[in-house]
Amino acid sequence: MEVVIHSEPAALAQMAADAIADLLARRPDAVIGLATGSSPLSVYDELAARCARGELSFARARGFTLDEYVGLPVDHPERYRTVIERELVSRVDFAPGAVTGPDGSAADIPAACAAYEQAIRDAGGVELQILGIGTDGHIAFNEPGSSLASRTRIKTLTHQTRVDNARFFGGELDAVPTHCLTQGLGTIMAARHIVLLATGTAKAEAVHHLVEGAVSALWPATILQHHPHATVLLDEAAAARLRLASYYRQTYAGKPAWQGI
Ligand code: GLP
């Protein structure tokens, strides 16, 4: 696991955008894993700006989102398909239908989850997965207790996650759905490169477990310690509880420029 600590969140967004740009330069038809939540927003801003300047193109790329609420009406602004459309897809040049997500309004939920896994496999798997992390250590919507080998399935959101996400629903806890569909930890682990972003003090405990804690379903993101190419991009506040912070800083400072993340 590579840990990069930077005082400027904008620099972290540049690093993630650079990784996507390098990937698209190598493989214009790459499959990219997209995350919702506030953490990746500055990366999407950066990608939109680069696309507007003609520096990169998603025209041949494909995208898969991580998760979706169950039961939100199709025209709800916080449906993750709508969110990713608003935050990224409509601002770059993805081909129509190139970005898809789990179907939270499917009549047959298990069939929709199996179809989503199959769609990712048929596309050749995810090359680079953008991730955030919840304050309780969840990635996508894999809440504490999730199987470390799980695949796309329905999950019940924890009270904490619903409280955290109420800000997207006018602060109304009751408006936050109770269930979601989410790629499993096993699904996410199959991506070839994981780039996780975390900023702010509220993430410090989850980041401490993610990077230096014991691998445990209690802190689902810790499974990423088993990933051969996981990059964790942190600001100072999110990195505040890391014991080896100075070693991570020293390592990144001495890294050859050609290596990327
Ligand atoms: C939600 C999403 C996750 C995201 C997490 C953190 O629960 N399902 O994918 O990582 O929130 O969100 P934020 O980046 O807004 O802190």
Side-chain angles (χ1 to χ4, degrees), residues 40-160:
L41 292 180
S42 50
V43 181
Y44 298 159
D45 288 345
E46 181 61 27
L47 293 172
R50 292 186 192 195
C51 204
R53 295 196 297 265
E55 294 170 11
L56 89 172
S57 172
F58 292 86
R60 294 175 55 202
R62 296 191 56 188
F64 288 92
T65 59
L66 287 168
D67 45 13
E68 183 59 277
Y69 291 112
V70 168
L72 284 186
V74 287
D75 59 350
H76 195 288
E78 290 307 321
R79 204 168 156 253
Y80 278 173
R81 278 195 189 189
T82 310
V83 171
I84 205 70
E85 182 69 31
R86 186 170 65 227
E87 305 294 359
L88 179 67
V89 178
S90 63
R91 303 166 68 201
V92 297
D93 60 345
F94 272 115
V99 175
T100 186
D103 183 0
S105 46
D108 185 340
I109 293 282
C113 293
Y116 197 58
E117 287 281 330
Q118 190 59 46
I120 296 172
R121 267 195 299 274
D122 289 348
V126 170
E127 206 61 49
L128 186 152
Q129 176 67 57
I130 297 287
L131 281 184
I133 186 169
T135 57
D136 62 1
H138 72 245
I139 50 175
F141 268 139
N142 291 281
E143 298 284 30
S146 289
S147 156
L148 300 180
S150 49
R151 310 303 300 202
T152 304
R153 69 215 183 287
I154 191 167
K155 287 291 287 182
T156 303
L157 296 173
T158 61
H159 179 71
Q160 182 61 53

